[in-house]
Amino acid sequence: MDYRYSVVGGSLLINNPNKTQDIGMYQCIATNSFGTIVSREAKLQFAYLENFKTRRSTVSVRQGQGMVLLCGPPPHSGELTYAWIFNEYPSFVHQDNRRFVSQETGNLYIAKVETSDVGNYTCVVTNTVTNNKVLGPPTPLILRNDGVMGEYEPKIEVQVPETVPSAKGTTVKLECFALGNPVPTISWRRADGKQIPRKARRQKSSGVLEIPNFQQEDAGLYECVAENVRGKNMARGQLTFYAPPNWIQKISDAHKAIEESIFWECKANGRPKPSYSWLKDGEPLMPRDRIQIEHGALTITNVNLSDAGMYQCVAENRHGVIFTSAELSVIALGPDFSKTLLKRLTLVKVGGEVIIECKPKASPRPTYTWKKGKEILRENERINIMDDGSLRIVNVTKADAGSYSCIATNHFGTASSTGSLVVKDPTRVVVPPSSTDVTVGESIVLPCQVSHDHSLDIMFTWSFNGHLIDFEKDGDHFERVGGQDSAGDLMIRSIQLKHAGKYVCMVQTTVDKLSATADLIVRGPPGPPEAVTIDEITDTTAQLSWRPGADNHSPITMYVIQARTPFSVGWQAVNTVPDIIDGKTFTATVVGLNPWVEYEFRAVAASLIGIGEPSRSSEKRRTEEALPEITPANVSGGGGSKSELVITWETVPEELQNGGGFGYVVAFRPLGTVSWMQTVVASSDASRYVFRNESLPPFTPYEVKVGVYNNKGEGSFSPVTVVYSAEEEPTRAPTSIFAKSLSASDIEVYWASPRENQSKGRIQGYEVRCWRHEDKEENARKIRTLGNRTSTKITNLKGNALYHLAVKAYNTAGTGPSSATVNVTTKKPPPSQPPGNIIWNSSDSKIILNWDQVKALDNESEVKGYKVLYRWNRQSSTSVIETNKTSVELSLPFDEDYIIEVKPFSDGGDGSSSEQIRIPKISNAYARGSGTSTSNACTLSAISTIMISLTARSSL
């Protein structure tokens, strides 16, 4: 081999390639111990581009004339692209609807020459492989002096080839350009009337039609149309589709025993349809004797060792060639049981069928003989040796048990393997499940008990309607019961309608499989009725019909009709005719409906077992209108402003209005008169009417009634009731206002009522306004009294603060004028210091308390005395003793525990209380103690003295 060639990992490397020596076809050949395969051929070419060698003469044309400048590329190899320089580089000719450069020929086309086109033109040719460029000689273009070219019809100079073969998946470019005056427009269309593919692109003012990813459906006859005002011209080209071969079925390695046959088939698609050939170890394979070749199929019968090797299927059309490879290995081997021994132990039941497999590895296929023990086994109607060497025994008996040997022989040797056959008694179902009827909610047990050979493992499974029962997933209803290996009973708890169907108990051992079946019928409440329909509807009735649903194996005894409206709370049972609807009746009339209400209905079926699910609801229908029957309730009124009569009532609910256009008729007259005044309130939501008249006397009784109406007419009126017209506000202010401070937080206010003959308005009570000096009057606190009370107590005030007070009379019309304002200052706050150092002594049925004097601070009221509060520990009522001293003597029985508190009082009220003191039940007549909290109890002995100090709280 030439030193310039080397093979690296199967690739061919050529150093310093030479065009003369290395151009040509190459093919890779791979060989190893299994055979040889070849690659497809590769063509090596050298790209080049030589220089232009010709000169160009001047081109002279008229203005308005079309022109073609030829490029004439020099000798080359490899794809070229073209461009033209105008005058000097880098001024290139710009392509538009007037100028076009063909990438097929390199020629420059000018549809209509203009004065601006005069100059030198140079063709630039580029080799896309080497990127090498060469420039042709300049071609001068000048205008002739013999006038301007007139208008003429388009002349197509760049035409689509008559046939354009196009490969699948490629981008196809069609060129078309015409000369003409005026400049023609270019358009494209398909001659078969189909639309040009949407993926197609038009470039260079439609001079190029580009179709990417070309497919079979894009093939056809395409037309280029050039047109101007002088006429039009057309060129046609046929796009044909082709595709190189592509595998749709390859061959794969095969291992065949000697004397067997091999069949391989390869399939490829392509356009045109590929042809097939076969290679063996890189050499053409021809049909002969045992070898048959038909299209892509290869058959070799009775293979021998010489047939082993590498095979290749080759698919080829004029656009390409492809290879698929596979190895054929031929096996020649004497019988060998080392990896396929007979099954050591085979179990079968009496009366059953058994196949003992004998599958030694051997090539060619051996002949088989069988022995039972040492005796050659003879075939008969129960025993036969199968084609693959396996032994088949039917209707097995106990006598068939024993040791069996398979002997395999071919011309490369003999081998044998032995196994044992054990015959067992068959399994039988002794207590099968039986078909039964049950009611929803009940529980049953389906028995499944068998007799079987106890040396064999047994397994019970149950299926329901063809599906295995999952006892973990469905454990709420299904459970295995029995507790012994011969019973596989099934318990079904809380049975539902869905549990009806076929139950199969399946029993399996290692030698047999059997099953027993039972049908379960579940009786339950009826299913929902179907197709509830409103056949006719009036103002108070609806005629219904329906179809019965499933009775679930229990006859339907009755139906109940339910209704729902936008105003009801859920579904409600309704009255029907007939009153009781039996199970064989499928129509009923609903009565007692409200007029002008939208209803929907449903039916519910019942049987002796129970009430079923309701049907789907019917369509919604509105009852017809009727005169209103319900009158407004709680007609009353009163109050309002001066010269007003206010009448109120409760609105009639929408479901009782009986029709559209619902409203109210309000009638009223002075008490004791005959004629009624009436007014219409046209709103169904209205609940109030106000009659205004300046001559209306205040607080005068009127008889009032409210009626109703709708589109059908007027209904009745409510019962007559008496309502008073609005009264006037009081016109006089209270007098003699006086206020005094009761404590630091309370004051008492007094006033005198206006004289009745001096005030026009009725007085219902008084409103006291109270505000602190620092606050605004509009934020005053308001306290109202009822009736004739002329004093009130105001509490929760701040101590030692100046307050202003004023009083007004009021009634339903409002408040009257205010009294004069009075001022009052609350007293100083009571002492904040509680009594301290409280000591008690008991003697002769008496308890003597002593405590330290409390001194008030400068901003507190002076102490006027003390309050001693005491109660039994088990009682809630408290007794109080007041004293102006710092001690007190209490006469209390000793047989109870007592809780005692002490607090000072002053003009500002009660001060802070001491902590509670507990005095326990005392068994000795003499005892002593000091204050402590109630949570600490002490017991006194007859001779003991207890001193417990109390640290008083201080408030500085």
Side-chain angles (χ1 to χ4, degrees):
M1 187 169 64
D2 193 318
Y3 71 93
R4 294 182 302 108
Y5 298 104
S6 58
V7 178
V8 180
S11 299
L12 176 63
L13 178 64
I14 305 176
N15 292 307
N16 300 319
N18 182 277
K19 175 182 176 182
T20 305
Q21 294 179 333
D22 299 323
I23 192 170
M25 304 295 292
Y26 291 80
Q27 190 173 34
C28 177
I29 302 172
T31 302
N32 64 10
S33 58
F34 296 102
T36 299
I37 57 174
V38 297
S39 72
R40 65 178 180 176
E41 293 181 338
K43 185 177 183 180
L44 177 60
Q45 293 177 294
F46 288 80
Y48 63 91
L49 176 62
E50 296 182 4
N51 291 321
F52 282 90
K53 296 176 182 177
T54 60
R55 289 184 176 274
R56 302 295 168 93
S57 58
T58 299
V59 176
S60 175
V61 295
R62 285 179 177 178
Q63 182 179 346
Q65 183 179 354
M67 180 209 68
V68 181
L69 295 181
L70 304 178
C71 178
H76 63 276
S77 175
E79 187 177 350
L80 303 181
T81 61
Y82 302 93
W84 283 79
I85 296 174
F86 179 53
N87 290 331
E88 294 183 357
Y89 181 83
S91 176
F92 284 90
V93 172
H94 174 67
Q95 297 186 66
D96 52 23
N97 65 336
R98 199 171 60 85
R99 292 168 294 195
F100 180 77
V101 177
S102 171
Q103 296 302 315
E104 297 292 334
T105 63
N107 297 340
L108 170 63
Y109 299 84
I110 301 178
K112 173 188 172 186
V113 174
E114 297 178 353
T115 55
S116 59
D117 295 325
V118 173
N120 291 320
Y121 290 83
T122 303
C123 180
V124 182
V125 183
T126 303
N127 190 309
T128 59
V129 180
T130 64
N131 250 352
N132 186 30
K133 290 184 180 179
V134 295
L135 275 62
T139 301
L141 174 64
I142 62 174
L143 292 180
R144 289 166 55 177
N145 299 324
D146 53 353
V148 177
M149 184 74 170
E151 293 183 352
Y152 63 96
E153 69 177 17
K155 179 185 179 185
I156 297 178
E157 288 288 342
V158 181
Q159 297 197 10
V160 182
E162 185 177 333
T163 302
V164 183
S166 304
K168 177 182 178 181
T170 60
T171 296
V172 179
K173 293 182 180 181
L174 302 179
E175 292 185 343
C176 181
F177 193 77
L179 311 182
N181 185 7
V183 175
T185 59
I186 304 295
S187 61
W188 293 88
R189 65 191 182 194
R190 289 186 61 159
D192 56 10
K194 296 181 181 178
Q195 293 292 321
I196 288 181
R198 295 182 62 183
K199 62 187 175 181
R201 299 185 289 264
R202 293 163 178 82
Q203 299 177 353
K204 300 179 182 179
S205 300
S206 293
V208 177
L209 177 66
E210 182 178 296
I211 306 174
N213 190 25
F214 188 77
Q215 299 297 322
Q216 175 73 54
E217 60 270 18
D218 299 328
L221 186 61
Y222 284 74
E223 293 179 343
C224 164
V225 181
E227 186 172 7
N228 66 11
V229 295
R230 305 300 298 179
K232 65 179 178 180
N233 215 330
M234 181 178 65
R236 290 182 171 184
Q238 181 78 35
L239 277 183
T240 59
F241 175 84
Y242 75 84
N246 180 60
W247 289 122
I248 56 176
Q249 179 177 319
K250 297 183 178 181
I251 60 174
S252 55
D253 293 344
H255 302 276
K256 294 295 180 179
I258 199 167
E259 297 179 357
E260 289 185 344
S261 296
I262 174 70
F263 174 79
W264 269 318
E265 185 176 21
C266 57
K267 293 180 181 179
N269 55 20
R271 191 176 182 94
K273 188 176 180 180
S275 61
Y276 300 93
S277 61
W278 287 83
L279 303 176
K280 178 179 183 290
D281 291 329
E283 298 295 331
L285 187 64
M286 298 300 176
R288 64 176 186 277
D289 301 331
R290 298 176 298 106
I291 300 174
Q292 298 175 12
I293 297 176
E294 187 174 352
H295 302 302
L298 168 65
T299 304
I300 305 175
T301 58
N302 197 23
V303 297
N304 56 47
L305 293 177
S306 65
D307 295 322
M310 296 299 298
Y311 289 77
Q312 288 180 284
C313 176
V314 184
E316 184 176 7
N317 65 14
R318 64 174 177 268
H319 302 293
V321 58
I322 53 176
F323 294 75
T324 177
S325 306
E327 178 196 357
L328 173 61
S329 61
V330 179
I331 304 168
L333 180 69
D336 180 8
F337 281 98
S338 60
K339 294 182 180 179
T340 55
L341 291 170
L342 256 65
K343 191 174 179 182
R344 186 178 64 84
L345 183 66
T346 300
L347 300 176
V348 65
K349 68 176 181 179
V350 172
E353 176 182 328
V354 66
I355 294 176
I356 306 175
E357 292 185 341
C358 178
K359 293 185 176 180
K361 189 175 181 181
S363 180
R365 181 176 176 276
T367 57
Y368 300 94
T369 55
W370 281 83
K371 287 184 178 181
K372 181 184 178 187
K374 295 182 180 180
E375 298 293 328
I376 296 292
L377 200 61
R378 305 295 180 188
E379 292 188 74
N380 54 39
E381 66 276 4
R382 288 195 315 111
I383 301 171
N384 74 291
I385 300 172
M386 303 170 67
D387 290 342
D388 66 355
S390 300
L391 178 65
R392 179 171 177 263
I393 306 175
V394 299
N395 197 16
V396 174
T397 66
K398 288 278 189 178
D400 292 323
S403 174
Y404 288 81
S405 299
C406 175
I407 301 102
T409 302
N410 67 11
H411 50 259
F412 292 106
T414 298
S416 66
S417 180
T418 302
S420 296
L421 179 65
V422 176
V423 180
K424 297 287 187 178
D425 290 327
T427 304
R428 291 184 175 85
V429 177
V430 294
V431 182
S434 58
S435 298
T436 185
D437 293 9
V438 294
T439 302
V440 166
E442 293 181 347
S443 298
I444 63 165
V445 174
L446 296 179
C448 186
Q449 298 177 13
V450 301
S451 66
H452 69 103
D453 189 319
H454 291 280
S455 67
L456 301 175
D457 292 332
I458 190 169
M459 180 175 68
F460 292 89
T461 54
W462 283 85
S463 71
F464 168 50
N465 287 338
H467 299 282
L468 283 178
I469 296 175
D470 186 333
F471 288 93
E472 290 187 5
K473 181 180 177 182
D474 301 321
D476 291 343
H477 296 284
F478 296 111
E479 181 183 355
R480 287 192 183 96
V481 294
Q484 50 185 316
D485 68 348
S486 296
D489 300 350
L490 172 67
M491 172 179 277
I492 312 174
R493 291 192 301 268
S494 185
I495 290 174
Q496 305 299 310
L497 289 171
K498 64 182 180 180
H499 295 135
K502 177 174 289 187
Y503 290 81
V504 180
C505 173
M506 293 168 285
V507 187
Q508 184 172 1
T509 68
T510 50
V511 300
D512 56 1
K513 180 191 298 185
L514 65 162
S515 62
T517 302
D519 290 317
L520 183 64
I521 297 174
V522 180
R523 303 186 188 278
E530 299 174 353
V532 176
T533 305
I534 303 173
D535 298 323
E536 184 180 348
I537 196 163
T538 69
D539 55 348
T540 59
T541 67
Q543 180 72 37
L544 306 183
S545 62
W546 61 90
R547 295 200 305 268
D551 65 5
N552 292 327
H553 306 289
S554 178
I556 297 172
T557 57
M558 67 178 296
Y559 291 95
V560 174
I561 304 300
Q562 297 176 339
R564 182 170 66 178
T565 73
F567 316 105
S568 63
V569 180
W571 291 89
Q572 307 290 333
V574 291
N575 296 324
T576 59
V577 176
D579 186 33
I580 297 176
I581 308 169
D582 64 47
K584 296 182 179 179
T585 299
F586 310 120
T587 62
T589 301
V590 181
V591 297
L593 302 178
N594 291 328
W596 200 239
V597 172
E598 187 177 68
Y599 282 90
E600 56 183 327
F601 301 94
R602 70 183 187 184
V604 181
S607 68
L608 294 177
I609 291 178
I611 299 174
E613 292 292 320
S615 69
R616 291 186 176 181
S617 60
S618 69
E619 76 276 19
K620 295 179 181 179
R621 291 273 297 276
R622 188 184 287 272
T623 50
E624 296 177 350
E625 294 181 302
L627 286 174
E629 298 177 352
I630 304 299
T631 60
N634 293 332
V635 177
S636 61
S641 301
K642 181 181 177 181
S643 303
E644 289 184 348
L645 174 65
V646 178
I647 303 169
T648 61
W649 61 89
E650 288 184 8
T651 58
V652 175
E654 184 180 346
E655 64 268 29
L656 301 177
Q657 293 174 3
N658 288 11
F662 185 84
Y664 299 93
V665 180
V666 181
F668 55 94
R669 67 187 178 187
L671 184 64
T673 62
V674 177
S675 298
W676 292 90
M677 288 181 282
Q678 290 190 357
T679 187
V680 172
V681 180
S683 171
S684 62
D685 296 326
S687 61
R688 187 172 187 266
Y689 172 71
V690 179
F691 174 69
R692 293 181 179 85
N693 193 316
E694 293 299 328
S695 63
L696 200 67
F699 208 65
T700 301
Y702 281 78
E703 288 184 310
V704 174
K705 60 182 180 179
V706 181
V708 291
Y709 71 91
N710 63 17
N711 291 337
K712 298 290 283 187
E714 293 188 14
S716 55
F717 281 90
S718 67
V720 176
T721 187
V722 175
V723 175
Y724 283 81
S725 62
E727 54 189 337
E728 294 180 333
E729 301 94 339
T731 58
R732 297 283 181 172
T735 61
S736 305
I737 309 301
F738 169 71
K740 68 176 181 179
S741 175
L742 302 179
S743 67
S745 60
D746 302 335
I747 60 176
E748 187 88 29
V749 186
Y750 304 89
W751 61 90
S753 300
R755 293 180 182 178
E756 290 187 8
N757 58 0
Q758 294 179 343
S759 179
K760 292 183 180 178
R762 181 176 63 102
I763 296 175
Q764 284 186 292
Y766 296 91
E767 180 180 275
V768 180
R769 293 180 297 122
C770 172
W771 68 97
R772 207 164 57 159
H773 181 70
E774 294 85 357
D775 298 335
K776 295 180 180 180
E777 183 177 355
E778 55 263 29
N779 297 328
R781 183 173 160 195
K782 297 176 182 178
I783 301 95
R784 282 198 167 189
T785 67
L786 290 174
N788 296 325
R789 279 185 58 193
T790 56
S791 68
T792 190
K793 184 178 179 181
I794 304 175
T795 60
N796 296 323
L797 303 176
K798 290 188 177 292
N800 197 26
L802 175 61
Y803 283 88
H804 305 288
L805 299 107
V807 183
K808 296 179 181 179
Y810 73 87
N811 60 20
T812 58
T815 57
S818 176
S819 70
T821 301
V822 297
N823 303 327
V824 65
T825 301
T826 53
K827 295 183 178 181
K828 291 182 179 181
S832 57
Q833 184 81 8
N837 199 23
I838 300 174
I839 300 175
W840 59 270
N841 294 283
S842 65
S843 174
D844 296 332
S845 301
K846 296 179 180 179
I847 294 176
I848 301 169
L849 293 171
N850 292 277
W851 58 86
D852 291 344
Q853 183 177 357
V854 175
K855 293 184 179 180
L857 302 177
D858 291 342
N859 62 343
E860 296 177 343
S861 300
E862 289 296 326
V863 176
K864 297 182 68 175
Y866 299 90
K867 291 182 180 180
V868 179
L869 296 82
Y870 62 93
R871 63 179 173 84
W872 287 357
N873 192 21
R874 292 180 295 172
Q875 288 187 343
S876 58
S877 60
T878 302
S879 301
V880 180
I881 296 177
E882 292 188 2
T883 179
N884 56 5
K885 300 178 181 180
T886 59
S887 65
V888 72
E889 185 177 285
L890 302 174
S891 296
L892 300 172
F894 286 161
D895 58 350
E896 291 289 344
D897 292 352
Y898 285 91
I899 303 298
I900 296 178
E901 297 177 52
V902 181
K903 61 182 174 182
F905 66 87
S906 66
D907 288 340
D910 292 348
S912 298
S913 177
S914 68
E915 291 190 4
Q916 291 184 346
I917 302 158
R918 181 182 173 206
I919 299 177
K921 181 164 59 176
I922 300 171
S923 59
N924 189 289
Y926 300 94
R928 186 180 182 189
S930 63
T932 184
S933 67
T934 57
S935 61
N936 296 322
C938 61
T939 303
L940 304 178
S941 66
I943 60 174
S944 64
T945 300
I946 301 174
M947 296 293 292
I948 305 174
S949 65
L950 171 67
T951 303
R953 295 175 296 171
S954 62
S955 178
L956 301 179

